[in-house]
Amino acid sequence: EPPRPVAGRCPPPTYPPRALDLELEGVVFLRVRISEKGLVEECLIHASSGYESLDQAAADAVTRWRFKPARRGHRTQAHWLRVPIRFRLTD
């Protein structure tokens, strides 16, 4: 089974203040390697939102997330996961 985020241990990214001022929105797709212990070992930008500040905010947040690790039978294992992060302004 693939890794899954642990509820309450995956806070959303902070919207960069300048991006808010400019009303920037977008989706960042990250490629994240989850360790056997559920920690983020590596976080790469797979597809940019088009805005460096949003991409960096997403990567910074996901790097601190915790996951229930992937399992094969009774053993945990490292696993790559694709994580989308959406930045959307609300009314």
Side-chain angles (χ1 to χ4, degrees):
E1 82 186 61
R4 293 189 313 268
V6 174
R9 299 298 306 271
C10 299
T14 301
Y15 221 115
R18 182 83 173 126
L20 279 173
D21 291 344
L22 296 172
E23 298 183 350
L24 304 180
E25 295 183 316
V27 180
V28 183
F29 290 93
L30 301 171
R31 191 155 187 262
V32 182
R33 182 169 170 79
I34 311 301
S35 75
E36 307 84 23
K37 295 181 180 182
L39 304 175
V40 175
E41 290 183 325
E42 197 168 352
C43 182
L44 307 170
I45 295 169
H46 181 71
S48 173
S49 65
Y51 304 105
E52 186 177 342
S53 64
L54 297 184
D55 297 349
Q56 190 61 54
D60 289 347
V62 171
T63 298
R64 295 187 304 270
W65 285 11
R66 297 298 174 259
F67 291 82
K68 181 176 178 187
R71 297 189 73 81
R72 176 171 280 167
H74 295 290
R75 302 186 70 185
T76 61
Q77 62 183 30
H79 190 82
W80 283 97
L81 187 65
R82 185 171 174 254
V83 177
I85 301 291
R86 180 178 304 278
F87 287 90
R88 183 173 26 201
L89 300 167
T90 55
D91 297 324

